[in-house]
Structure formats: C-alpha cells, structure tokens
Amino acid sequence: MPYLRVTRTPLIRNMPLGTYVYVPSSSLLETYSPIMEIDEFTEGLLELCDGTQKREEILQQLSQKSGEPVEEFAKDFDEFVQYLVDEDVLEWVDEPTSIEPIYKQNRPFRILIDVTSECSFQCPFCSVSESRDELTLEDVTPLVEQVKKCKPALLTISGGEPLLNKDVVLYMVKELSQIKEIGLYTFTTATVVTKKYAQELYDAGLRFARVSLDGHTAEVHDAIRGKGTFEKTVEGIKNLKEAGVHVTAGTMICKMNYQYYREIKEFNTQIADMYNTSFDYPCGKGKDRKLLLSPEERSHVRLLEMGKEDIKTGIFPQSRCHVGEILYITSNGDCFPCLYMHFPEFKIGNIKKNKFSEIYQNETLQELLKLTIHDVEECKDCAIRYYCRGGCRGHAYGKCGSLYVRDPIDCEVNKALVQRILEHGEENTKQLMQNLIESAQEQDSV
C-alpha cells in the first residue's frame, strides 16, 4: 500500500474570507497552482500527509480526532483524496519519503542565492553589491546538504552572472535537480552560454532559466546592458532552448526602454518559451539612479499586460508579503530576509557560519515573519488590503525608512489594477475581487 504526501510543501494563509492553501506550481515557477479555500478537516488531512503514513494510518488518526468510525467516512475520504490528487495537491508514493506537509516558517520557503557578484556588465539597476570573500565550492557543499533536507519550494541561482562560477552552478544543479520538491532555475544574461555549456547545464539537470533581455533590438538592449550583448544573449537563448532548457525572457522595464514595451514583448515571446516583466526598484546600484518609472508609468505597463476586456487574473486573499519566508544569500554568504531587504541592519546570518535552524531563530527575522497588513497603519483600513497585502516591506523601508508604512512604489499601481478588474474583469474574476473588498469592509465595521 503506497504512502500519501503533499506534492510540494504548501503555504497556509488564514484570512477573514477563510483559510487558503497555496501550492507551489511545478511548471510555472514563482507562482502557486492550485490555490483553494479549505476547511478544518482538509487542513488536518494535509498535516498528516508527510509521506510517511499509509491510507489506513491516516484514516485511524482522523477517526480518533473526529470520533467517527472509519467505515462511516472512508468512502468520502477516498473520493476527496482522489480530488486532491487530481488537483496536484497530494500524491501517492511507493516508498516513504518525508516532506513538511505545511510550511511552518522555521526554514526558508524559497531561496535566492548569488553564487558570484562577478559580471562583465555594468547594468545601472543591478541589485548586487560587489564582494571579495565570495562563496566557493567548499562553502556551497554543506549548504546544498541543508537545502536537500529542508526542500524549499524554489531555489534560484543568481548573481552577478552566475554562470561565470561554472563549477558551483553545475554542482548545485546536479545535486538539487534530483529533489523533485524543489523548483530550480537560474537567472542569467546567457552571454556565456555556448552550445557546449548549454548541454552541460541540461545534462546536470537544469530545466528552467530566466534570461535578461531588455530590448527588441541591439540598439535598445545594448544601451542598457552594454555594446554587443544583444547578439550574445539571443545566441545564448537559442543554445539553451536547443539543449532542452525552458527559457523565460525577462525584461527590466525602466526609463530607458519603457517606450518600447509592446515591441519588446512581441520580440521576446517569439524568441523564448515565456516572457515576463519586472521593474527597476531602489536597491543595489539602482538605489540612487533616475531610471525608476513613475507610478503612472508602472500602472500603464501593468494595465497593458492585464488587457482591457474580460480580464482573467489570479485573485486570492493575502495578508502579508513573503518577507522572511524568502532567504536571500549574497555572494559572500550573508543572509537577508528578502532581496529587497538587503540592508546591513537586516543581516540575519551567514551560511558559512550559520545553519538554517540558527538563522530562523534570529530575533529580527522572527519579528519580520509576524508582520501582516494589520501592522501597516496606512493600509489596515484600506478596502483592497487583502489584494495587495500592503505591497513590499522592502520597498517601504528602502524609500521611507520604515516597515510600517504603505509601499510607496506600487500602491497606486495596485489601486489602478483593482479598478480595471472591477470595470472589465470577467464575471468570476470580478466577483472574487468584490468578495475581497467586502471582506475587508466587514472587518472594518466590526
């Protein structure tokens, strides 16, 4: 008889509308699918699905908790479990394989690691600071063993240009791609990806890469990334795809390429498997630069992405950002509770000296993990607070010097998105948004 377990460790969020489970997607990294409302029974069931118990053992424990005889609910149990298997929430495995059935905030849910700060580019918005005491293969080896045990939903290898640290990257990919619970991919400019290197990455186990492509022409891209980089990046993308790596072309939208958004999107969707955009934010080298888009420009881009009619987009209750649940590791091993919380006062350890268990006992980190929208004075009475969750705490601190103020960068963007959904969303999407707003208003009236 096989063992029952969650496919990937999910997040649980308790909200006024109900309790929601967020299951990390196995194919669209950095997203959740499915997201569903659950009741107390389902949450209790998930708690038991740690990969070490069989059907009969789980039934007995549920029976003891509810006081009902197993035979009275076994059929309903089997039907419900099959539904969760079909939804990719649960799975049956032949051998016991332990997994944390629900995330408990005692280890990183996601990890972003810079394996080097070295890069041949000098991008004006780069978030990475130069480092001398960089991670070596000797440093990374014990880290990888910790990662294997805690099985984060996502591990992103970044830099600098991470692929310049070839030995470390190939080692990490080879070791961690074997752990099916871990979504693994790398950020890269792809300029160093020859056909041979692309094949080595694939053979080691890499299946996903996000490549920075900031223009649809050499003129636009090279003005940001450097002369001659466009052709090298395009060639690198082709080499990765030919080797079998799924490529997402990622564009950093800033003042230098904002006007070409449509053209860039069209080009990138043709050359890569997927396309996404991000914005320049005030961190790293971008902190004091004048490339940041205005709230109006950011709203314009997001509204273009959303469309004008019958909008379908993911809407689900949230009460906090992922600060603390994401562990950002710099190229010298320093640890921070998020990429956008990369400030000296928020350093919570160093992987050369501290294990995850020590890092997650850090007092600063524990306080950050408790932060919710209800701690943000300007947001706690806002009608859309359960949609935007107060934005990013890193943005708030970086721009205003406080964790307890609204996100000054994306607040107006989120308001514009909500208005567009209410006016032009397809019926189900519109209803979900209205439900979120009504739940916030009901809370305010209590």
Side-chain angles (χ1 to χ4, degrees), residues 2-3 5 51 93-98:
Y3 299 83
R5 50 166 277 164
V93 293
D94 292 330
E95 299 294 332
T97 53
S98 180

Side-chain angles (χ1 to χ4, degrees), residues 8 25 113-114 126 131 154 158 180 216 224 291 309 327 331 356 412:
R8 292 164 301 281
S25 172
I113 178 170
D114 292 339
C126 183
S131 173
L154 185 67
S158 188
K180 74 182 191 70
H216 60 300
I224 298 171
L291 296 180
E309 299 294 337
L327 186 66
S331 59
F356 290 154
E412 296 305 317

Side-chain angles (χ1 to χ4, degrees), residues 17-74:
L17 270 177
T19 299
Y20 289 78
V21 61
Y22 300 75
V23 181
S25 172
S26 58
S27 57
L28 297 175
L29 304 184
E30 293 188 307
T31 64
Y32 298 97
S33 179
I35 298 168
M36 59 176 66
E37 185 176 1
I38 60 174
D39 57 18
E40 186 178 349
F41 171 83
T42 307
E43 186 172 358
L45 170 61
L46 293 177
E47 285 277 14
L48 298 174
C49 297
D50 62 359
T52 68
Q53 302 191 79
K54 298 180 180 179
R55 171 182 178 272
E56 287 73 17
E57 295 171 296
I58 294 174
L59 280 170
Q60 284 296 332
Q61 292 184 64
L62 290 173
S63 175
Q64 291 172 8
K65 185 175 181 179
S66 66
E68 293 183 60
V70 169
E71 56 270 18
E72 289 190 10
F73 67 90

Side-chain angles (χ1 to χ4, degrees), residues 11 27 29 44 67-68 84 222 250 297 305 339 381 391 403 440:
L11 287 171
S27 57
L29 304 184
E68 293 183 60
L84 293 177
D222 289 0
E297 290 167 331
E305 292 176 332
L339 171 64
D381 296 325
L403 295 169

Side-chain angles (χ1 to χ4, degrees), residues 1 5 24-25 35-36 53 74 79 154 164 194 200 207 259 272 304 307 333 343 380 418 422-423 441-442:
M1 176 64 70
R5 50 166 277 164
S25 172
I35 298 168
M36 59 176 66
Q53 302 191 79
E79 291 177 353
L154 185 67
L164 290 174
T194 61
E200 288 177 309
R207 295 296 180 267
Q259 61 183 310
L304 283 175
F343 304 101
K380 64 182 183 181
V418 169
L422 291 175
E423 292 175 355
Q441 293 172 336
E442 288 173 6

Side-chain angles (χ1 to χ4, degrees), residues 164-177:
L164 290 174
N165 199 346
K166 186 175 182 178
D167 289 344
V168 167
V169 170
L170 290 177
Y171 170 75
M172 293 185 71
V173 171
K174 182 179 180 180
E175 293 294 315
L176 297 177
S177 61

Side-chain angles (χ1 to χ4, degrees), residues 250-268:
T251 299
M252 179 72 76
I253 302 294
C254 64
K255 291 286 189 182
M256 298 176 72
N257 60 3
Y258 165 72
Q259 61 183 310
Y260 303 109
Y261 167 77
R262 290 185 177 87
E263 293 90 340
I264 295 171
K265 179 180 180 180
E266 182 178 354
F267 178 79
N268 286 6

